[in-house]
Amino acid sequence: MEELKNILKMHNISPSLHRLKILEYIHRPYTHSTADEIFQALEKDIPTLSKTTVYNTLKTFEKNGIISALSIFENETRYEFKKQEHAHFKCEKCGEIFDIAHPFDFLKETELEGHFIKNQLIYLKGICRNCLQKTENA
Amino acid sequence: MEELKNILKMHNISPSLHRLKILEYIHRPYTHSTADEIFQALEKDIPTLSKTTVYNTLKTFEKNGIISALSIFENETRYEFKKQEHAHFKCEKCGEIFDIAHPFDFLKETELEGHFIKNQLIYLKGICRNCLQKTENA
DNA sequence: TTACATGTTTGCAATCATTACAAATTTATA
DNA sequence: TATAAATTTGTAATGATTGCAAACATGTAA
Ligand SMILES: [Mn+2]
Ligand SMILES: [Mn+2]
Ligand SMILES: [Zn+2]
Ligand SMILES: [Zn+2]
């Protein structure tokens, strides 16, 4: 909890209760949560929480570089605690999202067909290892 | 126009006027259009056109493999005529979207961390060659 | 040619994620 | 304590997309 407080402070965000709780939720490993998911998870503990606060807070966190927004998944923005660059894999069967160690050469800050590339986003789809195994055993 | 008709027939879609017009629009090179863009462009010629028809038609085309939907760009789905796999680059300055010859090894139908990859989607951001040149000359 | 079945298009209402905004509440500061 | 600043809330608005039933068009069998 102190660690989370420090993360906020280091990014010039005052550590209010709601912000801490939202950060705590999104700081767990492998979260790729929507605003709504976060809201639903936290409203049990904080019955007064408003969804607008969740949206506001996520926007603040993103602007200050604490979290990343993924627009990759149709219709809904998902958020994750910022960490080393990685690709995303989504299983077509179970819908689960996996982080994947970067399978490509690093392109950032290079040039391609005359364009200067600042950022790369890689999204993979298929059948995850769990679902593959279930099929095998069937 | 005959070519377009054949594309529809080959995909078991009867070539109604509206479908042909929508296909004609999206068949032009380098379109990455939203449903609304297509609607606005065509309503001049076809004043009776309804936006629902555009949505319906795009859905039909996608289901039958004529076009691809790109969910990459925040909030809005963009469509393009299906062609050889390629990456997308969006300029942060002017907003233009470019097709990029695939800069990565082909991953489809391979395995990664135990998952079976069917599809890859690559999205790059940065400053496009046009905007770079403008900056140079300034 | 008529009558019915089928396919296509329309128009409008509903949904869902997100944002705008102003009021209420909390916290910090003089 | 009084006042200013920051945070949070609740509700209304927006924008993309879908659901749905009615209207329209087309094809086909009698
Ligand atoms: Mn991730
Ligand atoms: Mn393209
Ligand atoms: Zn799975
Ligand atoms: Zn540009």
Side-chain angles (χ1 to χ4, degrees):
Chain A
M1 224 13 161
E2 270 313 304
E3 188 201 345
L4 298 178
K5 242 179 216 174
N6 283 330
I7 293 175
L8 288 180
K9 283 180 190 161
M10 272 163 44
H11 288 84
N12 295 310
I13 300 171
S14 62
S16 75
L17 171 72
H18 291 179
R19 286 174 177 162
L20 274 169
K21 283 294 190 181
I22 292 171
L23 181 58
E24 183 184 32
Y25 187 85
I26 212 171
H27 185 258
R28 297 169 313 142
Y30 307 118
T31 37
H32 299 93
S33 325
T34 61
D36 193 65
E37 262 171 55
I38 297 170
F39 172 71
Q40 289 196 28
L42 296 184
E43 94 182 310
K44 291 161 200 156
D45 284 335
I46 319 172
T48 65
L49 181 66
S50 134
K51 201 182 269 189
T52 306
T53 298
V54 176
Y55 275 107
N56 289 341
T57 303
L58 290 172
K59 193 139 278 186
T60 305
F61 285 180
E62 197 202 344
K63 199 167 293 170
N64 292 54
I66 299 183
I67 63 176
S68 325
L70 310 174
S71 306
I72 278 172
F73 309 99
E74 48 280 309
N75 295 325
E76 50 189 13
T77 307
R78 290 181 173 272
Y79 296 90
E80 68 178 342
F81 192 78
K82 206 170 233 178
K83 58 181 157 182
Q84 202 191 359
E85 214 169 273
H86 58 276
H88 288 106
F89 171 83
K90 182 173 184 177
C91 177
E92 285 172 357
K93 275 230 171 119
C94 65
E96 201 174 332
I97 297 162
F98 296 82
D99 285 343
I100 302 266
H102 231 306
F104 304 107
D105 281 316
F106 207 70
L107 263 188
K108 268 170 101 168
E109 312 291 326
T110 65
E111 196 220 71
L112 211 57
E113 302 188 16
H115 312 299
F116 180 73
I117 311 296
K118 284 191 181 173
N119 258 299
Q120 61 181 20
L121 242 149
I122 291 158
Y123 178 33
L124 308 167
K125 291 189 228 187
I127 311 291
C128 81
R129 55 189 170 222
N130 303 336
C131 288
L132 283 175
Q133 201 156 41
K134 275 179 206 152
T135 314
E136 256 172 46
N137 298 344
Chain B
M1 224 13 161
E2 271 312 305
E3 189 201 343
L4 299 178
K5 240 179 218 174
N6 283 331
I7 293 174
L8 288 181
K9 283 180 190 158
M10 273 163 42
H11 288 84
N12 295 311
I13 301 171
S14 62
S16 75
L17 171 73
H18 291 178
R19 287 175 177 161
L20 273 168
K21 283 294 189 180
I22 292 171
L23 181 58
E24 183 184 31
Y25 187 86
I26 211 172
H27 185 257
R28 298 169 311 142
Y30 307 119
T31 38
H32 299 92
S33 324
T34 62
D36 193 64
E37 261 171 56
I38 297 170
F39 172 71
Q40 289 196 28
L42 297 184
E43 96 183 307
K44 291 161 200 156
D45 285 335
I46 319 172
T48 64
L49 181 67
S50 131
K51 200 182 270 189
T52 306
T53 298
V54 176
Y55 275 107
N56 289 341
T57 304
L58 290 172
K59 194 139 279 189
T60 305
F61 285 0
E62 198 202 344
K63 199 168 293 173
N64 292 54
I66 298 182
I67 63 176
S68 326
L70 309 174
S71 305
I72 278 172
F73 310 99
E74 49 281 306
N75 294 326
E76 50 189 13
T77 307
R78 289 179 174 273
Y79 296 89
E80 67 179 341
F81 191 78
K82 206 170 233 178
K83 59 181 157 180
Q84 203 194 357
E85 217 171 271
H86 57 275
H88 288 105
F89 171 82
K90 182 172 186 179
C91 177
E92 285 171 358
K93 276 228 169 119
C94 65
E96 201 174 333
I97 297 162
F98 296 82
D99 284 342
I100 301 266
H102 232 304
F104 305 106
D105 281 315
F106 209 69
L107 264 189
K108 266 170 102 167
E109 312 291 326
T110 65
E111 195 220 72
L112 211 57
E113 303 189 14
H115 312 300
F116 180 74
I117 312 295
K118 284 191 180 173
N119 258 298
Q120 62 181 18
L121 241 149
I122 291 159
Y123 178 32
L124 307 166
K125 291 190 228 185
I127 312 290
C128 81
R129 54 188 172 224
N130 303 336
C131 288
L132 283 174
Q133 201 156 44
K134 275 178 207 154
T135 313
E136 256 172 45
N137 299 343

